[in-house]
Amino acid sequence: MLGAGVDAAAQAAFEYGADEVIVVDDASLADYRAEPFASTLSALASSSTPDLILFPTTARTRELSAMCAVDLNSGVLTDVSALSVDGDKVTVTRPIYEGKVLEKAVCEARPQLITLRGRAFPKPARESGRAGALTKAEAKADAKSTVEGYSATEAAVNIGDAAVIVSGGRGVSNNPALGLDEKATAQKGFELIGELASLLGGAVGASRAAVDGGYITYAHQVGQTGKVVAPDLYIACGISGAIQHLVGMRNAKLIVAINKDAEAPIFTQARYGVVGDLFVFVPALTAALRKRLGK
Amino acid sequence: MKIIACIKQVPDSEAKVKVTENGQVTWGDAPLVINPFDEYAVEGALQQKEANGGTVTALCIGPESAREALKHALAMGADEAVLVSDPALNDIDSVGAARVLAAAIVKIGGADMVMFGRQTLDNGAGVTPPQTARVLGWPMLGWVGQIKVDAGSVTVERVLEEGRQTVKANLPAVLSIVQSIGEPRYPSFMGIRKASKAEIPVWSLGDLGMSAPAAAVKRIEISNPPVRETVCEIITGETPEAIADALAEKILAEKIL
Ligand SMILES: Cc1cc2nc3c(=O)[nH]c(=O)nc-3n(C[C@H](O)[C@H](O)[C@H](O)COP(=O)(O)OP(=O)(O)OC[C@H]3O[C@@H](n4cnc5c(N)ncnc54)[C@H](O)[C@@H]3O)c2cc1C
């Protein structure tokens, strides 16, 4: 556990099943920067010689694991969707060519560094009050940059972990009946999408067209240049289904599409579809599900 | 300002990539293109050259055919291009690629900034930029959407999943560039002519004074993803409410909520 003021997180790690938590609590690690995090982690790995270091797949861990692989003279396998363990041999499966091909690969050096795709495994049950061995370790100061500022776009958005994602595309800005301009219409559209998402305890996603249009922030973007997600349920509203969007969501267990255009490519991926206006069908679906779920 | 843009050649996003019966990746006769993310790196490099003067060199590891990707960078406005090509590079992993790139960057004569795209479309790992930075011992500035250079230092805005971080580092530095840098410019007519005549030196590992780095990561099998049943059931009904009811029923019957 690297950071500043990470006691609560260390406790959570025990409750999710960790036997030992090594805590590096240091003011120099308050702001994430690649070098001090990598140097600290590499030093820890050199002294405690683990066989395997696992990370979740995020922008930061792609960077961090990659740098540690250089330090430790090993290799890294990112965005792994499944792994099998046979003795001390770990074989990973990871999508390549934007998910068009699956690769099985191994890392022959130790430690093996692997980043796991969000929801690659079910989350372990949390056992409150569970404890374990807490070890303190030192940070390795190696700041090659300084953080001058930070603005959170939306702290609460984490589409990578969401079990349900309701996404909006350019279609959210198309409802002439409202008599509003494009952005105000899109805001209405995303309100409807947000209501459905929150009824289902899910997150709001978006296509790049919606992000580029300024209807919603980049943190919500699903796809090749956004986030690759794998929820149980993905509801695409007013999204045409361009290949760059599909590569981000086609691993969802169940895909539902609402689109005006019966020919939209999104229907080639969806299990259920409604050809029609999202401004009509999203609220209707929310009402129908609310009734059935008794909420 | 000396800038190196590292690029790769990949099959186009629209290509139907699959695995053949004898276990090879194929994309038929779909075109190979400059990795789309790397176009942002070239664009970022050209913007900095315009702002601060200097040169942009495009650098690529790949087969002879990867010249075409370098020519694309030249046509966009890069001044020079270098291809590192050697049959011994076929089995390198990302750490190996970073070591080879770092050696090539040194042979080029170093740089103030080395720019990458954030990841490739083929491997998709996004690890070569930070690994190259690590091998060089330079600061790594990843997911950069804006760049400002000032007297030996660079200040960037990093576009992260949950916010925007402004970070300052001394030069030289390695950057990976994302789309907020602006749409990559189209190759100009003059640029295309210049690129078609350009001499692109090809360096072997011997030219870099190294042998192929041993790969820690090994691919043991590739396969096509399981074919997914993609028959879409279009829900119809008399009224929107009836359709929504039927759809809600179907979703709940899947027992995932
Ligand atoms: C290098 C590169 C990277 C990219 N990365 C991504 C990425 O990460 N994610 C991504 O999503 N895209 C990405 N794209 C863009 C992608 O190619 C598409 O342009 C984009 O996904 C289109 O978004 P959209 O489906 O919302 O918009 P459109 O394609 O415009 O589709 C809008 C859809 O809404 C429907 N519609 C309109 N009004 C309504 C209504 N009232 N009710 C219901 N339906 C309605 C229309 O029928 C249409 O199908 C990328 C492109 C490139 C070149």
Side-chain angles (χ1 to χ4, degrees):
Chain A
M1 198 73 66
L2 275 61
V6 290
D7 290 353
Q11 181 52 36
F14 287 130
E15 294 183 354
Y16 280 114
D19 297 306
E20 183 188 1
V21 178
I22 304 173
V23 172
V24 186
D25 200 328
D26 196 291
S28 70
L29 300 177
D31 287 319
Y32 171 81
R33 275 144 317 142
E35 288 82 11
F37 272 70
S39 296
T40 302
L41 188 57
S42 295
L44 272 174
S46 302
S47 60
S48 60
T49 64
D51 292 310
L52 179 60
I53 307 181
L54 292 172
F55 303 79
T57 304
T58 66
R60 289 169 178 180
T61 60
R62 282 180 194 265
E63 193 174 83
L64 184 57
S65 59
M67 290 168 103
C68 291
V70 173
D71 295 353
L72 300 166
N73 226 338
S74 185
V76 60
L77 288 157
T78 56
D79 206 22
V80 164
S81 54
L83 49 83
S84 68
V85 183
D86 178 11
D88 64 355
K89 188 167 160 212
V90 180
T91 305
V92 310
T93 304
R94 56 187 295 272
I96 54 173
Y97 292 95
E98 302 175 276
K100 293 169 189 163
V101 171
L102 294 179
E103 168 187 70
K104 278 204 164 97
V106 294
C107 177
E108 294 183 336
R110 294 290 177 274
Q112 307 168 74
L113 297 135
I114 290 174
T115 86
L116 287 173
R117 175 172 278 199
R119 298 172 49 77
F121 292 101
K123 202 162 161 174
R126 185 167 185 161
E127 191 185 317
S128 87
R130 187 176 178 278
L134 191 105
T135 315
K136 299 249 174 199
E138 296 283 307
K140 223 169 163 234
D142 181 17
K144 284 194 165 57
S145 60
T146 47
V147 176
E148 311 256 293
Y150 180 73
S151 67
T153 16
E154 242 151 302
V157 188
N158 191 351
I159 53 173
D161 284 342
V164 176
I165 298 176
V166 188
S167 271
R170 202 196 307 270
V172 299
S173 66
N174 176 29
N175 185 1
L178 287 175
L180 299 170
D181 71 8
E182 174 196 324
K183 277 217 175 162
T185 308
Q187 200 181 338
K188 276 267 169 239
F190 270 114
E191 263 168 38
L192 300 176
I193 285 170
E195 276 167 31
L196 177 54
S198 80
L199 170 73
L200 303 177
V204 173
S207 73
R208 175 158 162 191
V211 173
D212 285 353
Y215 312 154
I216 194 161
T217 58
Y218 171 69
H220 297 268
Q221 187 179 316
V222 171
Q224 184 191 86
T225 46
K227 192 115 193 153
V228 175
V229 297
D232 295 330
L233 173 60
Y234 189 89
I235 307 180
C237 314
I239 294 178
S240 62
I243 179 74
Q244 297 91 349
H245 189 80
L246 298 181
V247 298
M249 43 65 80
R250 64 179 164 204
N251 284 320
K253 284 205 190 97
L254 180 66
I255 298 170
V256 174
I258 301 174
N259 195 303
K260 271 188 149 165
D261 174 9
E263 302 295 316
I266 190 77
F267 289 121
T268 65
Q269 302 290 317
R271 176 71 189 87
Y272 301 113
V274 172
V275 179
D277 191 331
L278 72 94
F279 283 88
V280 173
F281 284 101
V282 173
L285 180 60
T286 307
L289 283 167
R290 177 169 286 132
K291 201 170 69 198
R292 284 187 160 68
L293 293 168
K295 290 194 185 163
Chain B
M1 184 73 33
K2 205 167 159 183
I3 307 165
I4 297 176
C6 295
I7 64 165
K8 196 175 176 188
Q9 192 185 39
V10 297
D12 187 73
S13 200
E14 312 281 342
K16 294 204 172 11
V17 181
K18 56 179 197 299
V19 178
T20 60
E21 269 164 31
N22 48 16
Q24 301 290 318
V25 175
T26 166
W27 45 85
D29 49 13
L32 285 162
V33 296
I34 179 172
N35 176 39
F37 296 110
D38 298 344
E39 285 189 73
Y40 295 110
V42 176
E43 175 61 31
L46 294 171
Q47 286 178 12
Q48 288 310 304
K49 176 189 159 174
E50 281 157 5
N52 307 299
T55 58
V56 173
T57 304
L59 170 63
C60 175
I61 301 179
E64 282 281 333
S65 64
R67 277 175 194 280
E68 292 308 314
L70 286 168
K71 282 189 184 163
H72 185 93
L74 288 168
M76 284 174 76
D79 301 282
E80 284 165 22
V82 174
L83 176 66
V84 179
S85 198
D86 196 311
L89 289 170
N90 287 346
D91 296 318
I92 53 168
D93 62 8
S94 64
V95 175
R99 295 199 196 285
V100 172
L101 286 172
I105 288 162
V106 170
K107 186 173 159 77
I108 288 169
D112 297 294
M113 286 191 273
V114 172
M115 297 193 192
F116 285 86
R118 68 166 214 186
Q119 66 190 69
T120 53
L121 282 193
D122 52 0
N123 183 289
V127 296
T128 306
Q131 290 180 330
T132 306
R134 203 62 171 168
V135 174
L136 290 164
W138 296 0
M140 174 65 211
L141 303 168
W143 287 271
V144 167
Q146 272 177 45
I147 309 170
K148 231 184 104 215
V149 171
D150 182 32
S153 73
V154 59
T155 304
V156 302
E157 189 180 80
R158 306 183 60 212
V159 183
L160 298 171
E161 282 123 338
E162 68 297 350
R164 289 176 185 243
Q165 194 189 38
T166 309
V167 180
K168 187 173 177 179
N170 287 334
L171 297 175
V174 173
L175 287 71
S176 77
I177 312 294
V178 295
Q179 69 204 48
S180 315
I181 203 81
E183 276 308 302
R185 63 197 67 191
Y186 286 107
S188 65
F189 177 67
M190 289 298 287
I192 293 169
R193 273 189 45 179
K194 202 185 83 189
S196 70
K197 289 196 223 126
E199 291 271 338
I200 300 178
V202 182
W203 294 346
S204 66
L205 283 172
D207 294 325
L208 296 175
M210 66 192 299
S211 48
V217 166
K218 294 212 165 100
R219 174 179 291 173
I220 53 176
E221 190 191 309
I222 49 171
S223 60
N224 292 309
V227 192
R228 149 173 213 144
E229 193 214 333
T230 47
V231 207
C232 181
E233 186 179 340
I234 300 288
I235 314 287
T236 52
E238 294 286 308
T239 62
E241 288 70 29
I243 296 172
D245 256 351
L247 178 58
E249 192 75 31
K250 297 273 187 196
I251 293 174
L252 289 173
E254 300 273 345
K255 301 219 177 306
I256 48 171
L257 284 181

